[in-house]
Amino acid sequence: MGDLLNQQLCNELRDVIYETDIFIRDEKESKRFLFICALMDRFDTAAKYINEHQKKPDSEEELIIFMVYSCIIKDGIDYIKKSLKIGKSKDRKIFEDIYKKEPINISDNVQFDDDKFFSYFRSLIFAHPLYTSRSIPMSEENEIQYSPYIVMEPLYTQTFIDPIGTDIYSNKREIMKPLLISFKSLKKYIKGKYEELNDVITKFKQIIEEKETEWKKHKVNRDQEAVDVLKDCVNILKERYVDTYEIHKLITYLTCENSFEENIENVNKYRNEIKRIIPSICDAIDSHDIEEFDSIISFILFVRPKTDNKIHYQLEKVCDYLNYKNKDVDDIEWGLKQAELLFVQEFAKKWVVIKPREMGYDEIKMLIRVACYLEYMEQKEGKNE
């Protein structure tokens, strides 16, 4: 027997909401993000159980469990759609032949549908609340209905082969007939509710599309100084919930103090390279090409030359430990020692003077980047000759 519920739908919803940081970092969207993530996990469990239990339940306990998982799907879908302001789906009238006959007898002028019937049927099956006053269709004044037991095998012939249901008692009516439905119709109803995930996926895609359209209208103002252009890039990236760490680093390396005259020439070479790529950064941001944006910045900031010495550990400790938020004296001392070791290495000494105990942390990091970049470029040029 094939799956009743397509679990790939839930995976598709995950893919949509995880492909962007909108639903994590946007103030409005983030309020429902965690709850929707929890619902998707519950949908996984519910869909798995229902797909594995498509035959008519053999016992009251099995039916109750099936109904629990059905309720997770029904209530979860209704919550998400309400949260996203998605209109109610067209009623498929799966249970109409049931609720327009005894024991319910819903008249044509009463607004009733499959969702309301399911809620009523659910309350009787669960006997929770014990008095089903909230969901009684066409109730009498002060009427209370309750169910003594679930019916798995009716005593009389039914029009369907897989009946399930419950007896109903009322304090306002004569003896009522058992309320019986086809288990097949229950599965059909839950399948339809689950497939309303398509509406949810479409809505989330629409939210992303609207945001991206709005973002593309905001272009970088390039008619200003390099640092100000980068600051405008920061503002735009924040609007788009993109991390701005790398842009802030470029701004820092363009503006931080240069303590030693010997470093001016090579620092300026590096800074000119940063300025040279700013138009490309702006192009990537204006076209919303995040991969290209990352590629451009990663090269200027994180390129490393080939060397026999193990510089990766030293670079890592300098970057991690030498920051103004770090109050750990031992970490800071270790970071300074690694910076000193980096300068001892041939390639670093060739390009810059680094005196870690006489410089600020930003300047130390900038000079290390200058040395790495210039050494790499020299190695590259040597290969091309």
Side-chain angles (χ1 to χ4, degrees):
M1 185 179 294
D3 287 346
L4 181 70
L5 307 181
N6 179 10
Q7 290 185 263
Q8 186 57 35
L9 269 181
C10 206
N11 293 333
E12 186 178 342
L13 176 56
R14 279 193 181 89
D15 291 342
V16 170
I17 66 174
Y18 289 159
E19 76 177 29
T20 171
D21 282 345
I22 292 172
F23 305 108
I24 302 173
R25 299 173 67 173
D26 181 88
E27 184 177 355
K28 177 182 176 182
E29 300 299 336
S30 64
K31 291 179 180 178
R32 55 181 165 230
F33 176 78
L34 290 178
F35 191 82
I36 290 174
C37 289
L39 281 177
M40 288 189 294
D41 291 339
R42 285 301 189 109
F43 285 170
D44 286 339
T45 307
K48 183 176 185 295
Y49 181 89
I50 288 173
N51 285 338
E52 292 174 353
H53 296 82
Q54 295 186 54
K55 292 182 179 180
K56 178 190 171 185
D58 293 324
S59 66
E60 176 178 333
E61 291 80 11
E62 288 183 10
L63 177 58
I64 287 175
I65 294 171
F66 189 93
M67 285 293 294
V68 167
Y69 285 116
S70 298
C71 291
I72 288 173
I73 290 172
K74 190 266 183 189
D75 291 348
I77 293 292
D78 287 349
Y79 171 84
I80 298 176
K81 291 183 69 175
K82 182 178 179 181
S83 173
L84 293 172
K85 297 182 180 178
I86 300 174
K88 189 176 177 67
S89 298
K90 184 179 179 181
D91 183 40
R92 290 177 299 137
K93 303 185 185 301
I94 295 170
F95 301 120
E96 186 177 45
D97 288 344
I98 302 296
Y99 62 68
K100 285 194 171 182
K101 298 176 183 178
E102 289 190 38
I104 305 179
N105 290 323
I106 298 293
S107 60
D108 291 336
N109 63 344
V110 174
Q111 289 188 342
F112 206 70
D113 57 25
D114 286 345
D115 287 344
K116 290 180 179 178
F117 176 81
F118 180 83
S119 296
Y120 175 58
F121 186 71
R122 163 176 66 187
S123 65
L124 291 170
I125 291 291
F126 290 160
H128 180 76
L130 190 60
Y131 294 154
T132 61
S133 309
R134 293 184 305 181
S135 57
I136 299 173
M138 297 179 62
S139 62
E140 302 287 341
E141 185 178 358
N142 298 321
E143 182 179 13
I144 296 171
Q145 289 185 8
Y146 45 94
S147 173
Y149 48 81
I150 290 173
V151 177
M152 299 300 298
E153 296 292 339
L155 298 177
Y156 51 89
T157 304
Q158 287 296 308
T159 56
F160 31 80
I161 60 173
D162 57 348
I164 55 171
T166 176
D167 271 9
I168 310 172
Y169 290 178
S170 170
N171 65 335
K172 293 289 182 177
R173 310 187 198 196
E174 298 295 329
I175 295 176
M176 300 174 67
K177 286 185 177 181
L179 176 60
L180 299 171
I181 67 170
S182 163
F183 184 65
K184 182 179 179 180
S185 66
L186 176 61
K187 292 192 297 181
K188 185 178 180 181
Y189 170 77
I190 293 304
K191 177 178 173 66
K193 290 301 293 187
Y194 183 80
E195 289 176 352
E196 289 179 28
L197 274 175
N198 284 307
D199 298 333
V200 175
I201 292 168
T202 298
K203 182 64 176 180
F204 276 123
K205 287 181 178 179
Q206 180 186 338
I207 291 171
I208 295 172
E209 184 179 345
E210 288 174 354
K211 285 283 188 184
E212 290 181 347
T213 300
E214 179 184 336
W215 293 339
K216 287 177 181 178
K217 293 177 182 177
H218 189 174
K219 305 294 186 182
V220 180
N221 178 6
R222 310 184 192 202
D223 190 21
Q224 48 189 334
E225 295 297 322
V227 170
D228 293 323
V229 173
L230 290 176
K231 287 180 179 178
D232 197 37
C233 291
V234 168
N235 292 333
I236 292 174
L237 292 175
K238 283 181 177 178
E239 287 178 2
R240 301 177 184 181
Y241 317 111
V242 177
D243 190 85
T244 60
Y245 171 82
E246 289 88 356
I247 295 284
H248 278 296
K249 280 297 176 189
L250 295 182
I251 294 172
T252 297
Y253 295 160
L254 283 176
T255 58
C256 75
E257 181 183 10
N258 188 9
S259 302
F260 291 87
E261 187 174 347
E262 301 97 306
N263 292 331
I264 291 176
E265 181 179 352
N266 285 335
V267 167
N268 284 340
K269 286 181 182 179
Y270 183 69
R271 287 177 172 175
N272 287 336
E273 283 301 301
I274 292 175
K275 292 175 183 178
R276 186 184 65 81
I277 65 170
I278 287 177
S280 298
I281 292 173
C282 294
D283 290 342
I285 291 175
D286 284 347
S287 61
H288 197 55
D289 189 341
I290 300 303
E291 288 186 6
E292 178 65 11
F293 168 79
D294 288 339
S295 175
I296 295 166
I297 292 189
S298 293
F299 179 74
I300 196 74
L301 283 181
F302 305 122
V303 67
R304 295 180 182 182
K306 290 185 178 179
T307 173
D308 294 333
N309 298 301
K310 297 179 180 180
I311 66 169
H312 303 293
Y313 174 83
Q314 293 158 348
L315 285 170
E316 179 186 338
K317 296 309 173 188
V318 169
C319 292
D320 288 349
Y321 291 167
L322 298 187
N323 67 79
Y324 296 105
K325 293 181 180 179
N326 189 1
K327 304 301 181 184
D328 190 311
V329 175
D330 291 336
D331 280 354
I332 293 171
E333 178 61 26
W334 189 244
L336 291 171
K337 285 183 178 179
Q338 301 313 306
E340 290 169 339
L341 287 172
L342 276 171
F343 179 60
V344 168
Q345 302 200 38
E346 288 294 327
F347 86 88
K349 291 172 65 175
K350 182 167 62 174
W351 301 107
V352 291
V353 174
I354 303 177
K355 296 184 178 181
R357 300 182 189 279
E358 300 177 30
M359 296 174 168
Y361 299 156
D362 288 336
E363 185 178 6
I364 294 170
K365 294 177 188 178
M366 177 191 68
L367 293 174
I368 289 172
R369 294 299 179 197
V370 169
C372 287
Y373 178 79
L374 294 178
E375 179 70 11
Y376 175 86
M377 295 305 293
E378 184 178 81
Q379 291 175 356
K380 182 179 178 183
E381 290 171 4
K383 280 186 177 180
N384 295 334
E385 290 179 355

